[in-house]
Amino acid sequence: MTAYNTIAFDPSRCELCNDCDACITACAQVKSGSDDPLYSRIKIVAGFNGNPPELALCRQCGDPECVKSCPSTALTKNPDTGLIDWEKSLCVDCLLCTVGCSYGGITYNATLKHVAKCDLCDGDPACVKACPSGALSYITSAGIFNEQHEREDLFVPGLSACQGCNSEMIMRHSLRKVGPDTVLATPPGCIPGMGSVGFNGTTGTKVPVFHPLLTNTASMLAGLKKQYNRMGRNVTAMALAGDGGAGDVGFQSLSGAAERNDQILFICVDNEGYMNTGMQASGSTSYGSWTTTTPVGSEMKGKRTSQKNLAMIMMNHNCEYVATASTAFVEDYYEKLDKALAASERGFAYLHIYSPCPTGWRFPSSQTIEVCRKGVETNFAPLWEYERGGDLHFTHPIDNPLPVEAYLNLSGKYRHVNAEQLACIQQQVNERVRTLKRYAGQ
Amino acid sequence: MATPALKLKHPGCAQSIVCDGNEAAAWAVALARPDVVAVYPITPQSSLVEYVSQFIADGKIEAELMNVEGEHSVLSALHGAALAGGRTYTATCGPGLAFMFEPYWRTPGMRLPIVASLVTRDGITPQCVWGGQQDAMTMKETGWIQIYCETVQEVLDTTVMAYRIAEHHDVMLPVNICHDGNYLSYGVTQVEVPEQSAVDDYLGEKNINWHVALDPLRPMAVDPLTGGAGGPGPAKFVAYRKGLCQGMQNALGVIEQAHADWAEIFGRDYAPLVEEYRLDDADYALVTIGSMTGAAKDAVDSARERGQKVGLIKIKTFRPFPVAAMTRALKKVRAVGVVDRSVHYGWDCGPLYQEVLSCLYRAGQPIAAGSFIGGLAGADLTEGHFARAIERTAQLLAGDEFDSPVWLNEHD
Amino acid sequence: MNTTHYLVAGASHAGLEAVHRIRLVDETSPITLVTRDAHAPYSPTILPYVVSGQSAPERVVLRPADYFLQHNVTLISDNELVSIDETGKQVTLKSGDRWQYAKLLLATGADPIIPPIPGLSETPYHVLRTMQHAIDLRDHAGKVKRAVVLGAGLIGMHGAENLRHAGLDVTIVEMCDQVLPGYFDARAAAVIEHAFNANGIRMLMGSRVVRVEPLGDGCRITLENGDSLEADLLLVATGVKPQLDYLKGTSVQVDQGILVDRRMRTDAPHIWAAGDVAQAADFYGEEKVMMGILPDAVTQGAVAAMDMTEDHALKPYIGGVPINTYTFFGQQAISVGQSLADASLEELTRVDEDHGRYLKILLKENRLQGISSINQEMDAGIMWQLILRKVDLTPVKDAFIARPLETGRALMSSTWR
Ligand SMILES: Cc1cc2nc3c(=O)[nH]c(=O)nc-3n(C[C@H](O)[C@H](O)[C@H](O)COP(=O)(O)OP(=O)(O)OC[C@H]3O[C@@H](n4cnc5c(N)ncnc54)[C@H](O)[C@@H]3O)c2cc1C
Ligand code: SF4
Ligand code: SF4
């Protein structure tokens, strides 16, 4: 299946309530030369009872019901662009397509006397350009997914991650990119827990995979890489570790390898705790978080200390490359993965991926990417990179961050957080960004 | 660095030098040509890794040197190197060994033929930095082969042999060459260094990861989750465990062969498992382990001069335990005094003593036996201490009981 | 003897959707698709536009030939299923070929009903269900002046309008008092009727034909009230009914159509049915119903295929909801769900005579049961989903009644993310 570029809508940023219909006007203008909203193919409608606005716009579906309902073949899915193309000369105005569509994506336009639908303006959507608040964005990461699709998935099918977990996406995509000349080490945690290391004589991965100790991933890979170097063979030593195996009990070996600048690609998938063993707190668990070992009760309201900032600590090793990433910003991640892979040929490369956990953080499994995105947009999980000898560099700077509640409110693990704790978290976020900015020379 | 002496005693030997046990081990490492050496210093091992590092710096050893941040990572790095097919070496002891424990007890299960010197040190606490075998004895049930040396020359020779043993296809297990901290680590003597080409022939082609590898050319899951109550789990787990036990048993014959071949090429003949000293006509015997044996043999000689029919049994290979060889030796006497340099907390005796009792039971030979513990935390074990042990054992032969164990340094 | 894994009879909406769904989960097992038609697959719904000349037959092909090649589907056209050996899992085709199948889907649609009107069988007349019918009708219409259409159902109305567009004088004769019964209430039907009248189509409602006879190249039609009409061309559009002779000797149970459960299984093992041929669950009641509409043929084809392939994502068929998006002379009449109020329903009607607009909402316990409109923007698909999902409109009821379009969009949009 091919991936396609698409328009994304973030209702929380939409200013419909301020009577902004910039997108609607822009669409009507560009499609029909009129300011009349009736001509627009994008429709923003008010949400209910104070909820954010909603969107009626063609989703350019993968298995489009409108196309199936069309008797005339006027509608087709374009295999190259992914667009649902409408051919006027074929259409008989029967409106059956409007029966197929559940989202108001194709509608009868009384002024045009035909159905009309969004065609993404040939890849340069007018509505997105017109949107003043960033509520609409044009997501162009499809190219990456298509490119990835060409590569072999080096994990076996059927790994049993929790529903909505983005670790599986991270690992499959990362390993596809890194390729088959790789030895993968994945210490105890969710990633081996979902079957990647195999079970009773079977394997879950098509490259050599090792289930090292929770404590020794980096040093074990360091030795392995030394031997391959000695043999003159180019093998990537790659780790996919959780935050506990990277930053707590495994930190010594991680730090040692970074200090020695051993040629390793180390990816830390940070879900802020020991989620595989049932949501216990780790050093990466953020202040105020509920976990099974930082519970909420009369005497205690979640974690009482702040999280360690592992990525910043790693940067201070002055190793080859350090970056943070989020699956809500995959283009950013892929650029960093490329750089990290190249850097791992020279020395130690460390990628820290914020990986919200629907099961342990208690948010609906459909919300993972949204939580990721809000993490970045509140500056809770800032995106930056650092190359040996250079400055820290923000790759997705957030100039006007959302208040941290916008992130916290999404996860049940912060449900109990009181005003005092909230203020404290906001302050920590601010301080962390300030420190990072100092490293960035700002 | 020691000055090479000129006179060579044996064929196959390139030079004769004067050095301590730590340097002797370093020479052995040079001869074994490892690929990856990972080091972290700890007393009384430190000079050993310094020698190895210097040899690498000088190009005498052509290996990757990894200066890692602790023993845990030392062994972990060697896991990686061995899984990529590298011959590996390290050395540690005492608290360092304790810190290494997590990867340590995983090594045999993965059947990695890693060789590590244990420059034995007593266990803390009380805090101490001196010799004693409590560290090694604590590890005796982890599946590593443990071989204890008596002399500096034996340290050199056995460390080379360790690679042949570890990498034997019927064995594929890690080996600890144990040499006593202080006594052997720092004791200086003349040793002969075998010729490189002769050692190369002796060790043959290395093939470290034919059975398990992290290699993109042979992708596999190394050590996936195994076991559980259902499916193929229980049988698989037993197969692995049983295989390891079998490897240990196979090692006994391989160790003997390695020693026999060594003797033939290099002219030095060591009892590979159990050495019998003046035992054939003995009524009773001491059982010893490691470097204490020299003083014990002197004490036996003196007692013989006094007309006492005493002999000595020295154990060299402690893991796997050479039950048959030990039983054969014990058959010759009617009382034994077993001298340990460590304690068995569970039985209030020495661990070697405890194993000797098992042998005797199995042989249906209920002779009198006594446990002696001495040389803890660097304490001296002199001929005098052994003379006392001989006296007490003679007492046992005569049917006199005494409070066991006897702490030989209790009143020093 | 030929063998196949999936044998699908009928290459229209239900059959084609089934093939598509099968291939989503089963890339390899052989699929054989048999169709009675000699033409490449098309939709019967397009036929009125072929008649008027708006749509060219070669431009309305639902699947090009290479689709079948690419998806490894054996297409057998111009042949038909004539019997089934259910125990031997074999079918016989009209050509005499026999096919062994593992799973059989019957998606053979419906055929026109020919009413028992005296004289009809001796008189030349048209029906409209296949491409050949449409081409014949188009060619005939191009040569004559006067057409009479029997029946004011979907096919009759579409046919009549397009004959009018082709330039003929058209008369519709319908037994009922209103057009499109079942989809629209009398009030909406009156608007439609009015538009037809205004566009020069004679509407003879509540009229029963008692006799038809040939007259020259055309015919004469006599009504119950004694009136008679002359026509050059007669189109019979009095309903459709599946043709099920091929079921003889099987245990497949039949009422008006093939009776199926919510997974589109017939009573015979390994045999499914979907689309116009099937009589399946009603969304509103216990009785199984004939739907006869395109979106439902697609849905049923999908359900059948998912059950045939044991696709775990299968959601059993929720039941048929009548839907009609009817455009006539540039106007739109849309009806989703029930169109007639009864005592259990809350009815809200809005009429805007000036603009010819009309809206009727039927609610039951604040859940949408039906909505119909004329000349009013309406997302039929959203309304269909609100009905199927029994969305509780209590919190948004006022907004929904005031602005069903926007409210429906907001509701469905909120279910999407
Ligand atoms: C003029 C007209 C206008 C319409 N307008 C609308 C509309 O506006 N809205 C709407 O929703 N619906 C409309 N419909 C109805 C809609 O077209 C049908 O509901 C839909 O086509 C049903 O699809 P189906 O696949 O079940 O069957 P069909 O489309 O009837 O297809 C049946 C298939 O089976 C084949 N077949 C038949 N018998 C055999 C056999 N024995 N062996 C093998 N193959 C066989 C045929 O060749 C054909 O390929 C209209 C229908 C007509 C005729
Ligand atoms: S119009 Fe509707 S059904 Fe068609 S592709 Fe767009 S969203 Fe999907
Ligand atoms: S209105 Fe046009 S595009 Fe929509 S279903 Fe009908 S013919 Fe197709």
Side-chain angles (χ1 to χ4, degrees):
Chain A
M1 179 103 50
T2 318
Y4 302 107
N5 296 341
T6 186
I7 291 176
F9 176 60
D10 179 353
S12 68
R13 286 173 177 262
C14 177
E15 294 187 13
L16 179 71
C17 44
N18 299 333
D19 276 343
C20 167
D21 29 4
C23 56
I24 296 173
T25 314
C27 180
Q29 261 296 344
V30 72
K31 293 298 169 207
S32 311
S34 156
D35 280 345
D36 185 346
L38 266 182
Y39 286 97
S40 175
R41 288 121 197 244
I42 183 167
K43 290 128 243 165
I44 309 267
V45 289
F48 305 114
N49 310 329
N51 282 339
E54 298 287 353
L55 171 78
L57 176 70
C58 174
R59 269 75 169 161
Q60 319 291 350
C61 297
D63 195 19
E65 294 295 332
C66 57
V67 173
K68 296 176 185 188
S69 305
C70 176
S72 75
T73 72
L75 290 171
T76 45
K77 180 150 182 97
N78 185 318
D80 300 323
T81 61
L83 288 178
I84 308 302
D85 291 333
W86 174 71
E87 174 53 49
K88 186 176 174 190
S89 69
L90 289 169
C91 178
V92 297
D93 304 322
C94 68
L95 303 188
L96 274 164
C97 48
T98 71
V99 177
C101 182
S102 310
Y103 303 108
I106 186 161
T107 54
Y108 182 73
N109 188 309
T111 338
L112 293 171
K113 304 231 173 279
H114 277 304
V115 289
K117 66 178 292 300
C118 168
D119 60 5
L120 290 180
C121 298
D122 279 337
D124 188 16
C127 53
V128 173
K129 285 190 288 190
C131 176
S133 65
L136 288 173
S137 50
Y138 188 52
I139 306 291
T140 54
S141 42
I144 293 175
F145 286 89
N146 294 332
E147 193 192 321
Q148 287 298 310
H149 186 73
E150 297 300 304
R151 302 197 163 96
E152 190 184 0
D153 182 355
L154 293 167
F155 286 101
V156 301
L159 299 180
S160 49
C162 295
Q163 192 171 22
C165 173
N166 66 357
S167 303
E168 189 173 341
M169 169 179 152
I170 292 168
M171 57 200 258
R172 286 191 190 275
H173 276 249
S174 302
L175 192 55
R176 267 176 201 256
K177 179 88 209 201
V178 175
D181 286 330
T182 302
V183 170
L184 174 67
T186 174
C190 291
I191 291 172
M194 66 178 84
S196 60
V197 293
F199 191 44
N200 280 333
T202 61
T203 183
T205 310
K206 298 181 199 167
V207 300
V209 64
F210 185 42
H211 194 194
L213 298 163
L214 187 55
T215 43
N216 73 350
T217 309
S219 43
M220 166 271 157
L221 283 175
L224 176 114
K225 182 71 181 175
K226 278 274 184 298
Q227 176 62 17
Y228 277 116
N229 283 348
R230 187 175 170 79
M231 292 155 73
R233 280 181 55 191
N234 195 5
V235 170
T236 302
M238 173 177 177
L240 278 168
D243 49 286
D248 277 357
V249 74
F251 181 68
Q252 176 176 321
S253 86
L254 176 68
S255 172
E259 174 265 317
R260 295 187 301 273
N261 209 19
D262 279 320
Q263 295 150 283
I264 294 171
L265 173 62
F266 198 104
I267 300 179
C268 173
V269 181
D270 178 8
N271 54 17
E272 292 196 9
Y274 298 97
M275 298 309 172
N276 186 51
T277 46
M279 301 142 224
Q280 298 86 10
S282 78
S284 189
T285 305
S286 57
Y287 171 80
S289 294
W290 167 91
T291 70
T292 52
T293 52
T294 55
V296 175
S298 61
E299 306 303 312
M300 192 171 160
K301 301 270 176 270
K303 191 165 177 243
R304 291 181 283 201
T305 52
S306 10
Q307 68 192 138
K308 64 168 104 170
N309 192 320
L310 194 52
M312 253 201 275
I313 298 170
M314 294 313 292
M315 176 181 68
N316 281 307
H317 284 76
N318 196 28
C319 51
E320 212 58 37
Y321 184 77
V322 178
T324 62
S326 163
T327 43
F329 299 88
V330 280
E331 285 158 302
D332 178 76
Y333 174 61
Y334 275 111
E335 275 174 34
K336 288 168 174 172
L337 183 57
D338 278 344
K339 288 186 187 174
L341 185 57
S344 74
E345 291 303 309
R346 306 189 298 273
F348 198 82
Y350 177 81
L351 286 174
H352 192 97
I353 307 181
Y354 306 111
S355 183
C357 163
T359 312
W361 294 21
R362 300 178 164 182
F363 57 78
S365 56
S366 61
Q367 292 301 297
T368 309
I369 299 299
E370 192 55 26
V371 176
C372 288
R373 179 173 295 115
K374 285 293 180 303
V376 172
E377 293 181 344
T378 55
N379 263 340
F380 192 96
L383 298 179
W384 53 266
E385 66 178 354
Y386 162 83
E387 273 167 285
R388 188 184 178 90
D391 276 343
L392 181 150
H393 160 69
F394 288 96
T395 56
H396 188 88
I398 303 292
D399 298 328
N400 298 306
L402 299 172
V404 75
E405 296 103 293
Y407 170 67
L408 304 186
N409 288 347
L410 297 174
S411 297
K413 73 165 177 164
Y414 297 114
R415 190 176 299 136
H416 58 279
V417 160
N418 58 32
E420 201 182 319
Q421 286 176 303
L422 182 63
C424 178
I425 296 173
Q426 184 67 64
Q427 191 192 339
Q428 287 177 4
V429 166
N430 298 348
E431 278 168 10
R432 203 180 311 148
V433 172
R434 227 182 358 260
T435 312
L436 286 170
K437 282 188 171 164
R438 274 206 303 279
Y439 279 107
Q442 294 175 12
Chain B
M1 180 100 22
T3 349
L6 292 173
K7 200 167 140 273
L8 300 178
K9 279 201 279 188
H10 295 292
C13 285
Q15 57 181 328
S16 176
I17 61 170
V18 174
C19 70
D20 65 16
N22 279 353
E23 186 179 350
W27 279 92
V29 175
L31 290 166
R33 300 184 193 267
D35 295 295
V36 179
V37 174
V39 299
Y40 188 87
I42 184 166
T43 305
Q45 159 264 36
S46 299
S47 66
L48 198 173
V49 298
E50 288 167 5
Y51 285 122
V52 171
S53 303
Q54 188 66 47
F55 284 180
I56 293 174
D58 294 343
K60 193 193 290 281
I61 300 179
E62 197 254 302
E64 303 291 328
L65 174 64
M66 297 184 69
N67 297 103
V68 291
E69 76 297 333
E71 289 86 350
H72 191 285
S73 284
V74 162
L75 190 55
S76 302
L78 299 190
H79 281 180
L83 286 165
R87 182 176 278 172
T88 55
Y89 176 77
T90 192
T92 190
C93 65
L97 179 59
F99 182 40
M100 188 185 273
F101 185 70
E102 199 191 11
Y104 183 86
W105 77 326
R106 195 181 189 188
T107 314
M110 291 199 293
R111 312 297 294 268
L112 301 179
I114 291 170
V115 173
S117 296
L118 285 192
V119 189
T120 55
R121 169 171 161 177
D122 220 314
I124 51 175
T125 243
Q127 177 65 276
C128 79
V129 294
W130 299 282
Q133 294 170 352
Q134 195 67 43
D135 56 356
M137 283 298 164
T138 302
M139 300 299 183
K140 66 187 160 62
E141 308 313 348
T142 52
W144 282 66
I145 291 171
Q146 284 189 345
I147 301 177
Y148 289 75
C149 297
E150 181 182 335
T151 66
V152 172
Q153 182 72 56
E154 195 177 12
V155 169
L156 191 157
D157 293 346
T158 313
T159 304
V160 178
M161 282 189 250
Y163 285 97
R164 169 114 161 226
I165 297 160
E167 294 170 14
H168 193 286
H169 281 15
D170 295 340
V171 179
M172 297 310 291
L173 284 170
V175 177
N176 277 147
I177 300 302
C178 305
H179 68 261
D180 288 307
N182 303 38
Y183 252 73
L184 287 176
S185 63
Y186 304 148
V188 174
T189 172
Q190 177 179 335
V191 298
E192 292 185 7
V193 181
E195 202 163 351
Q196 183 67 60
S197 61
V199 170
D200 289 347
D201 287 347
Y202 173 79
L203 289 180
E205 282 286 301
K206 73 162 186 256
N207 191 353
I208 308 293
N209 66 348
W210 55 275
H211 61 312
V212 59
L214 283 172
D215 184 346
L217 299 178
R218 282 187 286 153
M220 64 174 84
V222 172
D223 207 2
L225 281 175
T226 301
K236 269 219 147 36
F237 197 90
V238 168
Y240 282 116
R241 267 295 138 83
K242 221 175 139 184
L244 202 164
C245 289
Q246 188 58 53
M248 277 299 233
Q249 290 311 304
N250 295 346
L252 289 167
V254 171
I255 291 169
E256 286 183 304
Q257 191 59 48
H259 281 73
D261 292 348
W262 187 267
E264 190 168 314
I265 300 169
F266 302 103
R268 283 185 295 279
D269 198 355
Y270 307 98
L273 307 174
V274 169
E275 178 185 344
E276 299 178 6
Y277 182 74
R278 303 186 80 163
L279 199 63
D280 284 342
D281 62 340
D283 291 331
Y284 61 103
L286 289 184
V287 182
T288 62
I289 180 165
S291 63
M292 68 166 79
T293 309
K297 283 175 180 167
D298 289 347
V300 166
D301 291 343
S302 307
R304 281 275 179 179
E305 275 164 31
R306 291 194 300 275
Q308 289 173 271
K309 290 179 91 173
V310 61
L312 181 145
I313 302 168
K314 180 194 82 172
I315 187 152
K316 178 169 186 181
T317 300
F318 184 70
R319 280 290 178 270
F321 195 86
V323 177
M326 181 57 88
T327 306
R328 225 171 15 248
L330 290 171
K331 276 259 152 66
K332 296 179 178 168
V333 294
R334 285 179 287 123
V336 280
V338 184
V339 189
D340 275 281
R341 266 195 95 175
S342 58
V343 301
H344 189 302
Y345 292 113
W347 283 88
D348 190 19
C349 64
L352 177 56
Y353 170 76
Q354 221 260 347
E355 310 253 346
V356 166
L357 289 192
S358 296
C359 269
L360 290 171
Y361 174 83
R362 199 164 140 165
Q365 189 193 356
I367 62 171
S371 174
F372 300 87
I373 294 170
L376 302 185
D380 238 355
L381 274 180
T382 62
E383 197 185 325
H385 291 105
F386 288 108
R388 256 172 56 215
I390 289 169
E391 283 319 312
R392 288 297 185 102
T393 311
Q395 234 177 299
L396 284 179
L397 184 68
D400 280 356
E401 298 278 323
F402 57 85
D403 277 349
S404 184
V406 175
W407 301 83
L408 290 173
N409 304 99
E410 195 172 8
H411 305 295
D412 286 4
Chain C
M1 170 78 61
N2 308 285
T3 54
T4 182
H5 191 75
Y6 302 102
L7 185 78
V8 177
S12 179
H13 294 289
L16 292 173
E17 174 65 11
V19 167
H20 166 72
R21 285 278 171 172
I22 290 170
R23 276 291 175 255
L24 283 184
V25 290
D26 182 348
E27 290 178 17
T28 49
S29 305
I31 301 178
T32 304
L33 181 59
V34 184
T35 165
R36 194 176 57 187
D37 222 291
H39 289 87
Y42 59 87
S43 170
T45 306
I46 202 67
L47 300 176
Y49 308 92
V50 173
V51 173
S52 71
Q54 185 181 347
S55 299
E58 67 282 1
R59 292 191 73 201
V60 295
V61 175
L62 292 176
R63 300 281 188 282
D66 61 354
Y67 168 88
F68 298 104
L69 281 177
Q70 269 167 24
H71 292 83
N72 187 22
V73 177
T74 309
L75 175 66
I76 303 173
S77 347
D78 200 10
N79 206 336
E80 75 190 75
L81 189 62
V82 292
S83 70
I84 303 172
D85 166 6
E86 123 193 7
T87 34
K89 291 185 164 190
Q90 287 170 18
V91 298
T92 307
L93 305 186
K94 195 176 177 188
S95 61
D97 290 347
R98 290 163 70 79
W99 281 82
Q100 179 90 44
Y101 63 84
K103 298 179 181 188
L104 172 63
L105 173 62
L106 304 172
T108 52
D111 285 338
I113 295 175
I114 306 304
I117 300 172
L120 183 58
S121 55
E122 293 87 54
T123 311
Y125 63 90
H126 290 272
V127 291
L128 186 54
R129 184 73 190 189
T130 69
M131 186 58 81
Q132 202 51 52
H133 295 152
I135 292 169
D136 292 348
L137 183 55
R138 182 191 68 188
D139 294 351
H140 192 185
K143 297 179 198 136
V144 297
K145 291 285 313 161
R146 297 165 302 164
V148 166
V149 177
L150 299 191
L154 258 187
I155 300 172
M157 295 293 277
H158 276 299
E161 180 176 350
N162 282 286
L163 286 169
R164 181 75 193 131
H165 288 313
L168 279 78
D169 290 336
V170 182
T171 305
I172 296 179
V173 183
E174 166 62 50
M175 255 173 25
C176 286
D177 290 333
Q178 70 159 82
V179 299
L180 299 169
Y183 293 113
F184 296 102
D185 63 8
R187 192 163 194 161
V191 177
I192 300 170
E193 240 180 279
H194 176 76
F196 271 62
N197 277 320
N199 280 281
I201 296 180
R202 255 171 89 202
M203 307 293 285
L204 302 178
M205 306 307 292
S207 305
R208 176 193 278 273
V209 178
V210 291
R211 176 153 193 91
V212 179
E213 61 211 310
L215 182 71
D217 284 344
C219 63
R220 185 203 313 277
I221 297 123
T222 311
L223 305 180
E224 203 175 24
N225 66 3
D227 290 356
S228 76
L229 307 161
E230 287 183 10
D232 306 321
L233 179 160
L234 175 64
L235 172 60
V236 176
T238 50
V240 295
K241 187 179 186 322
Q243 201 275 92
L244 299 171
D245 292 348
Y246 58 70
L247 289 178
K248 225 170 279 158
T250 70
S251 65
V252 174
Q253 295 298 301
V254 170
D255 175 24
Q256 292 160 274
I258 298 175
L259 292 165
V260 291
D261 66 10
R262 287 182 188 270
R263 296 168 165 262
M264 300 299 134
R265 294 181 185 176
T266 69
D267 288 292
H270 317 295
I271 305 179
W272 286 257
D276 280 12
V277 78
Q279 188 174 348
D282 181 14
F283 179 75
Y284 297 98
E286 295 304 309
E287 301 268 294
K288 290 183 179 173
V289 290
M290 302 294 287
M291 290 310 298
I293 57 171
L294 190 161
D296 226 61
V298 173
T299 307
Q300 294 187 2
V303 170
M306 291 173 89
D307 194 47
M308 291 164 81
T309 53
E310 291 164 33
D311 187 333
H312 297 300
L314 178 129
K315 289 204 192 88
Y317 180 64
I318 317 177
V321 171
I323 303 176
N324 205 331
T325 56
Y326 181 54
T327 40
F328 54 101
F329 299 108
Q331 306 189 54
Q332 300 81 40
I334 293 168
S335 163
V336 185
Q338 286 180 327
S339 56
L340 297 177
D342 64 41
S344 71
L345 300 180
E346 184 181 351
E347 179 181 350
L348 301 130
T349 311
R350 227 174 10 249
V351 187
D352 174 354
E353 302 274 6
D354 294 348
H355 298 93
R357 287 190 195 146
Y358 167 78
L359 175 73
K360 176 156 113 185
I361 299 172
L362 294 175
L363 297 172
K364 187 178 196 172
E365 287 151 11
N366 289 342
R367 289 176 163 81
L368 187 63
Q369 293 299 109
I371 185 164
S372 41
S373 71
I374 293 182
N375 295 333
Q376 182 120 358
E377 211 184 329
M378 167 78 64
D379 297 323
I382 286 179
M383 298 304 152
W384 189 18
Q385 291 301 319
L386 293 180
I387 293 171
L388 286 181
R389 298 179 192 198
K390 299 186 171 135
V391 173
D392 183 4
L393 298 173
T394 312
V396 296
K397 189 171 170 187
D398 292 344
F400 186 80
I401 292 164
R403 297 180 307 278
L405 184 80
E406 289 78 7
T407 311
R409 285 175 180 176
L411 281 169
M412 283 310 294
S413 169
S414 69
T415 64
W416 190 67
R417 241 171 302 112

